[in-house]
């Protein structure tokens, strides 16, 4: 069974930084498209950032560009989200997602939640003003 576990969330002040981790067990992240989503209370689960299946491409939602950095470490079988200059509007539960595309899939990436087949439980990020 493939399992994703997020960690690194917490309560911080505006301008602070957090580093989220997503550790994958049960399957190698090779040839696996991965992404970060977030969901605030009463809101939909929105795309934040993604890394392609071969690690060659990354993509971000406009409001986090320049502040957030997504990366992948195949040796640790994990994905990370470095969040700098956090704002109160970044407050949400952050979810890790994965979709194995198979070998030879090239640089595949996804930004829609329905594209992903595996999800973590989420980690809470709260940014106070």
């Amino acid at each position: 069974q493939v399992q994703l576990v997020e960690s690194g969330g917490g309560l911080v002040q505006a301008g602070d930084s957090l580093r989220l981790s997503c550790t994958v067990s049960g399957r190698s992240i090779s040839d696996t498209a991965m992404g970060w989503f977030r969901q605030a209370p009463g809101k939909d689960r929105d795309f934040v950032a993604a890394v392609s299946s071969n690690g060659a491409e990354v993509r971000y939602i406009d409001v986090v560009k320049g502040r957030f950095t997504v990366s992948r470490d195949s040796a640790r079988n994990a994905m990370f989200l470095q969040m700098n200059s956090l704002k109160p509007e970044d407050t949400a539960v952050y979810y890790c997602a994965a979709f194995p595309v198979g070998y030879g899939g090239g640089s595949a990436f996804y930004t829609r939640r329905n594209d992903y087949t595996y999800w973590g439980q989420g980690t809470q990020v709260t940014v106070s003003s």
Side-chain angles (χ1 to χ4, degrees), residues 36-40 43-49 61 111 113:
W36 288 99
F37 291 75
R38 65 186 182 185
Q39 186 170 18
K43 304 294 183 180
D44 201 1
R45 189 174 300 186
D46 296 325
F47 168 78
V48 177
I61 190 171
T111 60
R113 62 179 179 177

Side-chain angles (χ1 to χ4, degrees), residues 1-5 23-28 77:
Q1 293 289 96
V2 177
Q3 291 186 323
L4 282 63
V5 179
T23 300
V24 179
S25 62
R27 191 178 186 124
S28 172
N77 215 46

Side-chain angles (χ1 to χ4, degrees), residues 3-125:
Q3 291 186 323
L4 282 63
V5 179
E6 303 97 335
S7 63
L11 173 62
V12 298
Q13 294 182 325
D16 285 351
S17 298
L18 282 174
R19 181 173 178 266
L20 305 184
S21 299
C22 172
T23 300
V24 179
S25 62
R27 191 178 186 124
S28 172
I29 63 172
S30 297
D31 297 310
T32 299
M34 301 185 70
W36 288 99
F37 291 75
R38 65 186 182 185
Q39 186 170 18
K43 304 294 183 180
D44 201 1
R45 189 174 300 186
D46 296 325
F47 168 78
V48 177
V51 58
S52 64
S53 56
N54 63 356
E57 185 178 6
V58 295
R59 183 168 293 187
Y60 305 91
I61 190 171
D62 286 344
V63 294
V64 308
K65 289 181 178 178
R67 298 190 297 120
F68 291 10
T69 302
V70 64
S71 61
R72 191 180 77 174
D73 188 340
S74 58
R76 299 171 63 181
N77 215 46
M79 178 181 64
F80 306 94
L81 184 67
Q82 178 66 45
M83 305 185 295
N84 298 327
S85 302
L86 283 164
K87 304 176 180 180
E89 49 263 47
D90 294 319
T91 296
V93 176
Y94 283 70
Y95 296 90
C96 174
F99 176 62
V101 300
Y103 295 102
S107 185
F109 67 91
Y110 304 91
T111 60
R112 297 181 178 183
R113 62 179 179 177
N114 289 337
D115 292 329
Y116 291 91
T117 55
Y118 297 101
W119 292 86
Q121 294 279 5
T123 184
Q124 177 71 48
V125 172

